[in-house]
Amino acid sequence: MHPKALLDECASLMEQVFKFDHPTDAVVARFFRENRSLGPRERATLSDTVYAALRERLKFEWFARSGSGSKWRKLSILGFPGDRDFLKSALTDQEKNWLDNCLNASGNELLAPHRHNLPEWLASALREQVGDEFDALVASLNQMAALDLRVNLLKKKRDAVLADLRQAGLACDPTPYSPLGIRLQGKPSLAKLPSFMQGDVEVQDEGSQLLALLMDAKRGEMVVDFCAGAGGKTLAMGAAMRNSGRLYAFDTSAHRLDALKPRLARSGLSNVHPVAIAHERDERIKRLAGKIDRVLVDAPCSGLGTLRRSPDLKWRQTPETVAELAQLQAAILHSAARLLKPGGRLVYATCSPLREEDEAVVQAFGQAHPEFEPMDVKGLLQGAQVSQAEALVAGDGGQSVLRLWPHRHGTDGFFAAVWQKRPV
């Protein structure tokens, strides 16, 4: 496609995305469906341009106040990846001069919001948590996330899969913490990779793998993934159970559970039972009360720990939506806790860095449920053969928790707390 036409398509997509009425990945997917003539390279360029503008929105919008043309065209010029000569062939002389001035702007000319590119309420919350590490955290959030895989131990050991992937020409290494993880260099296509097609590996961020390891699901147990989504952690727990026992995958979205089906078929698991529920008080949940050995509540949350992948979330979430989510999280955790038998394990997790969704929910649950005793997260991680477990744990109010940060650990931002229901 001619660069001028490609830039016009970028501007059109940019305008749709910046309405923020739907998740960016859904808007991009719809745009591609409506423009089927776009080839793989054009699609990659459009997607990369949009995500670059979302990551650096405040800075780009500040630059866009000068120059000529529409805001969406200017944002597209600033976010356009790769070959600058290719881009400049689509620009007027005035636009070329404007772009050079933007690229040569020094850090001293930028205000703090233009450097961190976060809404102020979120910048304040993160700065309060990480202090002097704030700039490092911001830099990490503006980087693309690595592509991590989880090895399916039902089928192969990690060393064997590493050898298979390297033989297939992929550069990869073991993940630094998870004993199940492999980190790929770049973003290779996996769809036709034999290791992926035959279920030896699944795409799963290393942090998400650690949540499943905290569950430590055993052979023959009754286990519930209360908010299963597309089932990444469900599959990890099913493999840990060696395809025995009974593993329920609950979710209020049948559509999300549908995404589990092809993954389940590749995995070789037969102990997983997906169940679409109406809400956290569904009758099908009540029938299991007091019968379950382990429950994972990977709660619906702001998703602000995943800004490397979904930078639009920082512009779509607000303090008000976070407060609403915290109420929902508390209700879900309360309902999930009723499933456990005495001695059973409860894991509460989010992919949010915010205390309102994490420590505050955990503290309130602990006060309301004295029958649940906090567990030592570092010891649990060490028992699961997680490397450098002490680097992954934080303490709050006497309860240790898993706390992962992109700039410290190279994972998405994750949080988890663990309890055991006291024996009668």
Side-chain angles (χ1 to χ4, degrees):
M1 180 179 285
H2 192 279
K4 289 185 178 179
L6 187 57
L7 192 58
D8 288 343
E9 295 287 1
C10 284
S12 177
L13 176 57
M14 192 78 69
E15 184 175 9
Q16 293 183 34
V17 165
F18 271 65
K19 293 176 182 177
F20 296 114
D21 51 2
H22 297 288
T24 294
D25 57 354
V27 176
V28 170
R30 184 184 64 202
F31 188 87
F32 290 164
R33 285 195 303 272
E34 294 172 351
N35 296 271
R36 296 188 181 278
S37 62
L38 294 168
R41 288 187 179 180
E42 287 86 2
R43 291 177 181 226
T45 297
L46 265 64
S47 180
D48 289 349
T49 301
V50 162
Y51 278 92
L54 288 168
R55 288 189 178 93
E56 301 194 74
R57 177 188 179 185
L58 297 182
K59 182 172 75 173
F60 284 7
E61 288 185 333
W62 184 64
F63 285 146
R65 286 163 42 182
S66 61
S68 60
S70 75
K71 172 183 176 179
W72 313 117
R73 180 177 173 86
K74 286 183 280 188
L75 293 182
S76 299
I77 292 170
L78 291 166
F80 202 89
D83 187 351
R84 288 288 174 191
D85 290 335
F86 178 82
L87 169 63
K88 286 188 173 183
S89 68
L91 305 183
T92 65
D93 289 341
Q94 185 179 4
E95 286 174 328
K96 291 175 188 175
N97 291 332
W98 169 79
L99 177 59
D100 287 339
N101 289 334
C102 293
L103 295 175
N104 293 328
S106 70
N108 294 333
E109 298 176 55
L110 301 176
L111 300 174
H114 306 145
R115 291 193 295 270
H116 63 59
N117 286 285
L118 296 168
E120 194 51 46
W121 70 270
L122 180 55
S124 297
L126 294 177
R127 192 181 284 110
E128 181 181 345
Q129 285 221 62
V130 301
D132 293 342
E133 297 178 37
F134 178 72
D135 288 342
L137 172 60
V138 167
S140 72
L141 292 176
N142 283 332
Q143 301 297 315
M144 293 183 68
L147 180 57
D148 292 347
L149 306 176
R150 176 187 56 80
V151 175
N152 180 1
L153 293 184
L154 271 185
K155 297 198 170 188
K156 275 193 177 179
K157 295 188 180 299
R158 180 164 68 171
D159 287 346
V161 175
L162 279 165
D164 291 345
L165 295 176
R166 288 166 179 161
Q167 189 171 1
L170 300 185
C172 54
D173 294 289
T175 47
Y177 307 109
S178 169
L180 307 176
I182 293 174
R183 180 156 295 160
L184 300 178
Q185 294 182 22
K187 299 288 182 181
S189 175
L190 302 178
K192 296 182 179 179
L193 184 71
S195 294
F196 180 76
M197 294 171 66
Q198 61 204 24
D200 296 343
V201 294
E202 269 292 335
V203 175
Q204 188 176 29
D205 182 77
E206 184 181 20
S208 183
Q209 295 177 34
L210 296 177
L211 298 183
L213 289 167
L214 277 177
M215 283 285 285
D216 194 25
K218 304 290 191 185
R219 292 175 184 263
E221 289 186 330
M222 296 265 284
V223 178
V224 168
D225 189 349
F226 204 82
C227 308
K233 287 174 281 295
T234 306
L235 297 174
M237 291 186 288
M241 295 165 72
R242 308 306 294 178
N243 207 14
S244 67
R246 196 167 183 86
L247 174 53
Y248 292 97
F250 290 149
D251 203 274
T252 55
S253 169
H255 177 70
R256 282 195 294 265
L257 287 176
D258 283 342
L260 171 58
K261 292 178 181 177
R263 306 176 79 186
L264 194 54
R266 287 194 302 267
S267 73
L269 292 172
S270 58
N271 66 334
V272 176
H273 302 272
V275 181
I277 57 175
H279 44 69
E280 71 272 10
R281 303 174 309 282
D282 193 292
E283 283 298 323
R284 282 165 288 191
I285 295 172
K286 291 181 180 179
R287 288 197 291 268
L288 294 173
K291 299 178 181 178
I292 303 299
D293 295 287
R294 297 168 198 264
V295 176
L296 171 63
V297 178
D298 185 13
C301 68
S302 66
L304 292 168
T306 67
L307 290 181
R308 301 181 304 166
R309 306 173 196 276
S310 303
D312 57 313
L313 287 173
K314 60 186 173 182
W315 311 117
R316 296 177 60 230
Q317 299 290 8
T318 66
E320 291 74 26
T321 62
V322 170
E324 291 172 5
L325 284 164
Q327 290 185 337
L328 176 61
Q329 290 152 1
I332 290 173
L333 186 56
H334 173 76
S335 291
R338 295 199 298 248
L339 295 175
L340 285 155
K341 63 173 63 171
R345 180 178 300 186
L346 175 63
V347 177
Y348 172 76
T350 74
C351 51
S352 169
L354 300 180
R355 293 186 183 276
E356 296 96 318
E357 299 182 83
D358 297 339
E359 285 89 352
V361 173
V362 167
Q363 185 176 11
F365 177 82
Q367 291 172 348
H369 294 272
E371 73 275 21
F372 281 87
E373 180 180 12
M375 298 188 74
D376 173 27
V377 170
K378 184 175 80 170
L380 296 176
L381 292 171
Q382 289 172 334
Q385 307 302 308
V386 172
S387 300
Q388 307 172 63
E390 63 282 354
L392 311 176
V393 177
D396 187 85
Q399 181 168 4
S400 66
V401 296
L402 176 76
R403 173 64 84 181
L404 302 178
W405 294 97
H407 69 293
R408 291 181 192 168
H409 307 112
T411 68
D412 285 340
F414 278 106
F415 171 90
V418 188
W419 298 267
Q420 183 177 39
K421 189 172 183 180
R422 300 179 192 273
V424 175

